[in-house]
Structure formats: C-alpha cells, structure tokens
C-alpha cells in the first residue's frame, strides 16, 4: 500500500499529457486470456498498448493509478457478427448511444454487417466512444438472403459468376473495407413460412475469397447447412457464421475445416428459441426498461416452440460439442439486431450458452477474446493481456473466469488504452 501511495503521489506531479498517456491498473486479478490461471498483477498502459505486466512496476510521471484490488482484469471481448440500425451512423452522439451497450457488456470489438462501402468513410470520421468497428462489405446473389428489404438489397453487392465477383470486389475494395461478408447459403430450415432462397456456388465464392485475401482481409459467410459449410471451406473462407443447423457435422467437414483453417461462429444467441428462454437477473439488468418489458411479456405467453426451431436448436448445440472436441476454433458472434438479441447482452448470452455446452467460464472468455481475435487474423495485436498488445481491457467485479455471472459486473472499460464512457 505504501508503494501505491508513492506511485499516486508521483502521478500527481506529471503533466496533463502524461496523465492521458499512461495508466496503471494496480492489484487486479489478471486473467490474460492465454489459457493461464489468473494472478494478481499490475498492468501499465502506455500509448494505447499494454506496456508491462508485473508487480511494483516503474511508471512514468503523470501516470493515472487505479486501485483494482478485489477485481478482475480481462481482455476486451468481441462480437464477430452484429447488425446496427442506420440511425446509429447519423452523428457521433448517435454512434455512441447505439454502441454503448456493447461497452457496458465488456465488448470492445464488433464486426458491423449493416453498412455499404460508400458509408464507411463517414462512419470512420465520427469521433465517439465505441468499440473498435470492423466494417464489412456485403456480397450475395440476386434474391438471396441479405436482399430481403429495400435497404439490405441496396447495400448487398449481388454476383452470380466468378467474373462478376472479381469486378464487384475491385469496386468494393476502393472503400477499404475491413472484411467481407458473403451470403452464400439461402436454405431456410424447411420453415413453411420462409421458402428457400438462392445460394452462391463455390467458384463465385472462391473468386471473392481470392480477391479479399490478396487485399489482406478476412471473409465470413452466412452459412447454415452442412453442404454449405463444406463449400465455404473448399472456397477458402476464414469463418462461417450461424453454423450447421440441418444435420450433425461429420468427419469430412471437420477435415475440410482443419485443412483450410476455417473457424466457426455459431450465433447461438439468435437461434435460441425465445419461447423457452429465461433470463437471469444479471442479464435483465443489462436491458433497457422497454426490453425488460418485452421479455416479461414474452414469458407470460408460454408459446410452444415450432418443431423446426426445436430440431435446429438441438442440432446446433450438439455441433458445438463436436467441433470443440475436434479442436475447431469457435468464436463469439451473435447476429445482434435480430429480435430478442440485444446489443452487448447478446455476446454475454452467446458465451453463457457455450458454458452450457462444455466450455468452462475461462474458455468462454477466451472464445470471446483470444480466439475471436485469432479468427480475425489479429492474434499478434489483440485478444490477450501481454506486453505490446492493444490495451482493450475490461475490469469486472468477482472472478468471471471462475464464476460466469461475475462477467456481468463490468466496472471500467478501455479501448486502445483510453477509458471509455459507459454513460
């Protein structure tokens, strides 16, 4: 404690510039996301990165000192699949308002899939407290999934041949997208109210992947069938979103995924039957009063789960168990924007479901941090707490790596080393 008081006194002597530049998080249980157990340590943040991790660290003058005794520091979490309403991109205040629920849940990086290339420069110019925004261009086929509304049809580039795909990618890359989202699978699970839509063939998808990888960006597909996942793997896709819901994954798919280093982002939070969903008090606390009322009304209806939903849910959960056993990388993504999947809440719900399917709380946090960063090709820059890594950090109460509900007790959040507003 004497050492901490000395550091705090030294911090008061520094300049305002130094105070903005350096922060010492003292005495937290540091769960670094690497697979190691948590340990008591100090973490020094400088210039947006983790400068050092250890005890009794020497710090620059002007360092802000935060006493985190009794709390746990974890890497910032990812949501690899979200959709945000257009109103969010109107101005900086709107941007913060729409994205702050993610920050409150400890989510410091999101993949945004409801923008066009032409929107990207304007979004990047807005200055607001948000998670890191990975902005994706969207490609699909005419009348395929992702084209249903007037807006989504307008922002989804539609191609049917490799030649069209190469031409479309040449135009899309001008906007410097951070990644590519492809709607390659239009199957609708035999739902009589939603007929199947066209799917993209393998050569066209492979052409998109080739151009994206040449530009150094990742490709994620909307894939919901066993055959669609095999097509995606053979085409070289980096990850599939939504996962396989029409049958159990087999040895052929697992082999293809390993061969092509393809990851799996199941978005279980959006497929969980709402009719049977019961939220814990800590989950409800994340929601707005309107959302809480909506959940209460839903619980009061006691509706039966549709047969195709029930079958799909059973298949999707078993596939997570099989893929985990096969050591396939499983990341965290939610399809937030779909009914009942709320910003921020969805990522924690996704991880909570993983803990029901064989993941320990520590493994679920790693899925949302280190593994998700690796899926995005960023394992050397984010996803763990280690010297030189981007300082995306979350300070929570309790020990969320041991007791998952403690993950809902987010106290403070840093994005690139800067503490962000949770208001």
């Amino acid at each position: 404690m004497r050492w901490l008081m000395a550091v705090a006194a030294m911090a008061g002597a520094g300049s305002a510039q130094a105070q903005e530049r350096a922060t010492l998080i003292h005495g937290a249980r540091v769960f670094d996301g690497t697979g190691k157990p948590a340990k008591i340590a100090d973490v020094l943040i400088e210039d947006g990165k983790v400068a050092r991790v250890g005890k009794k660290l020497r710090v620059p003058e002007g360092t802000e000192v935060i006493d985190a005794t009794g709390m746990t520091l974890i890497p910032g979490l990812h949501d690899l699949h979200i959709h945000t309403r257009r109103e969010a991109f109107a101005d900086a205040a709107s941007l913060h308002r729409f994205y702050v629920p993610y920050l409150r849940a400890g989510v410091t990086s999101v993949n945004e899939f409801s923008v066009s290339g032409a929107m990207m420069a304007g979004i990047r110019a807005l200055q607001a407290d948000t998670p890191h925004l990975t902005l994706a261009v969207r490609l699909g086929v005419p009348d395929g999934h992702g084209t249903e509304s007037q807006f989504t049809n307008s922002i989804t580039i539609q191609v049917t041949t490799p030649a069209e795909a190469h031409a479309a990618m040449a135009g899309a890359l001008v906007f410097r997208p951070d990644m590519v989202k492809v709607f390659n699978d239009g199957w609708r699970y035999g739902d009589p109210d939603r007929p199947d839509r066209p799917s993209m063939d393998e050569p066209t998808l492979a052409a998109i992947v080739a151009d994206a990888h040449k530009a150094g960006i990742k490709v994620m597909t909307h894939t919901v069938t066993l055959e669609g996942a095999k097509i995606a793997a053979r085409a070289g896709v980096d990850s599939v979103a939504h996962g396989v819901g029409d049958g159990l994954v087999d040895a052929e798919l697992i082999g293809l995924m390993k061969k092509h280093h393809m990851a799996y982002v199941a978005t279980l939070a959006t497929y969980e039957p709402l009719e049977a969903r019961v939220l814990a008090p800590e989950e409800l606390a994340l929601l707005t009063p309107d959302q809480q009322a909506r959940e209460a009304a839903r619980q009061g209806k006691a509706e039966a789960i549709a047969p195709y939903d029930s079958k799909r849910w059973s298949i999707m959960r078993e596939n997570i168990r099989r893929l985990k056993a096969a050591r396939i990388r499983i990341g965290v993504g939610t399809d937030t924007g779909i009914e009942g999947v709320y910003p921020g809440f969805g990522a924690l719900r996704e991880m909570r479901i993983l803990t029901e399917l064989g993941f320990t709380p520590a493994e679920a946090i790693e899925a949302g941090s280190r593994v998700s960063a690796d899926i995005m090709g960023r394992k050397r820059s984010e996803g763990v707490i280690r010297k030189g890594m981007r300082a995306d950090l979350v300070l929570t109460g309790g020990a969320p790596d041991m007791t998952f509900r403690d993950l809902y007790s987010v106290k403070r959040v840093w994005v690139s080393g800067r503490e962000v507003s949770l208001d």
Side-chain angles (χ1 to χ4, degrees), residues 88-95 120-130 133:
F89 310 116
D91 51 43
S94 299
L95 199 69
M120 292 179 181
I123 294 170
R124 289 171 178 146
L126 296 175
Q127 299 295 316
D129 281 351
T130 70
L133 304 181

Side-chain angles (χ1 to χ4, degrees), residues 22 44 51 65 82 90 107 114 154 169 201 207 218 292 301 318 360:
L44 178 65
V65 179
I82 74 164
V107 176
S114 284
S154 71
M169 285 296 291
D201 61 35
K218 298 292 186 181
Q292 291 175 354
K301 290 182 180 178
E318 177 58 26
T360 65

Side-chain angles (χ1 to χ4, degrees), residues 112-140:
E112 177 58 69
F113 292 148
S114 284
V115 298
S116 66
M119 297 169 62
M120 292 179 181
I123 294 170
R124 289 171 178 146
L126 296 175
Q127 299 295 316
D129 281 351
T130 70
H132 294 285
L133 304 181
T134 294
L135 305 178
V137 290
R138 301 158 47 110
L139 286 93

Side-chain angles (χ1 to χ4, degrees), residues 46 76 98 156 175 193 234 259 275 281 300 318 355 387 414:
E46 287 187 283
F98 275 85
T156 303
F175 297 104
D193 296 325
R234 289 193 293 264
K259 178 181 178 180
E275 298 88 344
E318 177 58 26
T355 67
K387 181 179 179 179
W414 291 263

Side-chain angles (χ1 to χ4, degrees), residues 61-229:
E61 290 188 359
T63 298
E64 178 189 9
V65 179
I66 296 170
D67 185 0
T69 304
M71 292 181 275
T72 298
L73 190 71
I74 65 170
L77 303 174
H78 295 66
D79 190 332
L80 298 180
H81 190 305
I82 74 164
H83 296 278
T84 304
R85 291 164 51 188
R86 282 175 287 173
E87 301 93 295
F89 310 116
D91 51 43
S94 299
L95 199 69
H96 176 67
R97 184 171 66 254
F98 275 85
Y99 283 109
V100 73
Y102 293 98
L103 298 173
R104 288 175 179 155
V107 176
T108 58
S109 294
V110 298
N111 291 1
E112 177 58 69
F113 292 148
S114 284
V115 298
S116 66
M119 297 169 62
M120 292 179 181
I123 294 170
R124 289 171 178 146
L126 296 175
Q127 299 295 316
D129 281 351
T130 70
H132 294 285
L133 304 181
T134 294
L135 305 178
V137 290
R138 301 158 47 110
L139 286 93
V141 298
D143 200 37
H145 184 54
T147 68
E148 289 88 342
S149 73
Q150 182 177 356
F151 174 65
T152 57
N153 186 65
S154 71
I155 66 173
T156 303
I157 304 167
Q158 297 162 41
V159 297
T160 57
T161 67
E164 290 179 358
H166 287 307
M169 285 296 291
L173 291 173
V174 170
F175 297 104
R176 296 173 34 247
D178 301 308
M179 70 177 300
V180 175
K181 165 75 178 291
V182 183
F183 297 89
N184 79 308
D185 196 335
W187 196 67
R188 308 302 281 175
Y189 301 107
D191 181 349
D193 296 325
R194 295 183 297 171
D196 292 354
R197 289 180 171 271
S199 297
M200 183 177 290
D201 61 35
E202 185 178 328
T204 303
L205 179 57
I208 294 170
V209 172
D211 289 350
H213 287 177
K214 186 177 179 180
I217 59 179
K218 298 292 186 181
V219 180
M220 177 183 284
T221 57
H222 170 105
T223 301
V224 296
T225 64
L226 183 60
E227 183 54 34

